[in-house]
Amino acid sequence: MIKQALYPGSFDPITNGHIDIIKRAQKIVDVVHVAVFDNPFKKPFFTSEERVELIKKIFPSDQGIIVTAFKGLLADYCKSSEISTIIRGLRAVSDFDYEFQLAHTNQKLNDNVDTIFLMTDLKYSYLSSSVVRQLAHFKSDVSAFVPKEVQYALEEKFNE
Ligand code: COA
């Protein structure tokens, strides 16, 4: 049994596809650390604080999930948090090249780290955060793709 694992991502915003991966990870890991990346190269739609708060609202009293934000290299964050397992989701074959590069780079930077890949449910294989943002921007119903907490946050943000 793996005790702790990091599930890193931008989660801008978290979608049902990410939630599917978190729930799958919970079956094999005692504690899943959902790690929100504060990317200095991208201007996010939701701030990292907002993304963390949204994920905490979705998993409020769940003992097995810890939500944090991180800056810098993932390999360094693994080292400082003493976690050596990374969870990543694979939606389609097209994700593989990028994940291959990411997993090997992380291993090169921190050879204690291993990545476990979980297959996203087929019904979320086409889903992405930017698709959800675009749909919400054009006032399309996103309730099939994100939990209600995210739906309300998107509505609020677009009405600002
Ligand atoms: N369901 C739905 N969508 C999913 C998904 C799933 N299961 N898995 C991925 N996605 C989507 C996301 O919504 C996102 O969509 P978008 O591009 O439309 O916003 C896209 O796939 C990529 O998402 P994510 O998994 O969050 O990856 P990322 O590229 O934003 O970030 C990190 C990946 C955070 C793990 C990586 O950038 C990282 O480790 N950064 C730290 C810096 C570092 O260490 N760099 C060196 C390593 S090369």
Side-chain angles (χ1 to χ4, degrees):
M1 189 75 182
I2 304 162
K3 286 204 174 345
Q4 306 202 70
L6 268 181
Y7 178 40
S10 299
F11 305 110
D12 192 23
I14 188 165
T15 69
N16 288 344
H18 295 121
I19 291 168
D20 177 56
I21 294 295
I22 295 170
K23 289 186 174 162
R24 283 170 199 277
Q26 280 188 299
K27 293 182 195 158
I28 51 171
V29 173
D30 285 343
V31 181
V32 180
H33 294 251
V34 181
V36 174
F37 179 44
D38 196 351
N39 192 340
F41 301 108
K42 268 193 197 172
K43 186 170 165 18
F45 184 68
F46 289 104
T47 65
S48 58
E49 292 81 10
E50 288 170 331
R51 285 176 274 153
V52 166
E53 282 317 306
L54 267 176
I55 303 170
K56 283 184 177 168
K57 271 190 200 165
I58 297 161
F59 296 102
S61 56
D62 199 318
Q63 297 295 311
I65 293 171
I66 294 173
V67 191
T68 52
F70 77 102
K71 289 178 191 222
L73 292 174
L74 178 59
D76 291 341
Y77 189 59
C78 286
K79 221 175 270 174
S80 64
S81 50
E82 296 181 356
I83 298 174
S84 53
T85 305
I86 296 171
I87 302 275
R88 291 288 289 165
L90 285 177
R91 291 167 298 172
V93 180
S94 52
D95 280 343
F96 183 79
D97 278 351
Y98 174 61
E99 294 301 334
F100 182 88
Q101 191 182 26
L102 204 66
H104 280 292
T105 307
N106 286 327
Q107 213 164 37
K108 184 83 186 156
L109 295 170
N110 176 352
D111 63 7
N112 280 324
V113 161
D114 270 305
T115 305
I116 293 179
F117 296 100
L118 297 173
M119 298 286 283
T120 312
D121 191 304
L122 207 52
K123 64 178 178 283
Y124 303 125
S125 58
Y126 59 92
L127 194 56
S128 74
S129 302
S130 49
V131 161
V132 167
R133 290 197 305 271
Q134 270 192 42
L135 291 173
H137 174 83
F138 293 113
K139 310 259 181 259
S140 181
D141 181 14
V142 292
S143 58
F145 310 125
V146 293
K148 61 179 183 334
E149 293 84 353
V150 174
Q151 199 183 338
Y152 299 152
L154 284 163
E155 283 167 9
E156 211 174 292
K157 199 81 164 172
F158 279 116
N159 287 332
E160 269 173 14

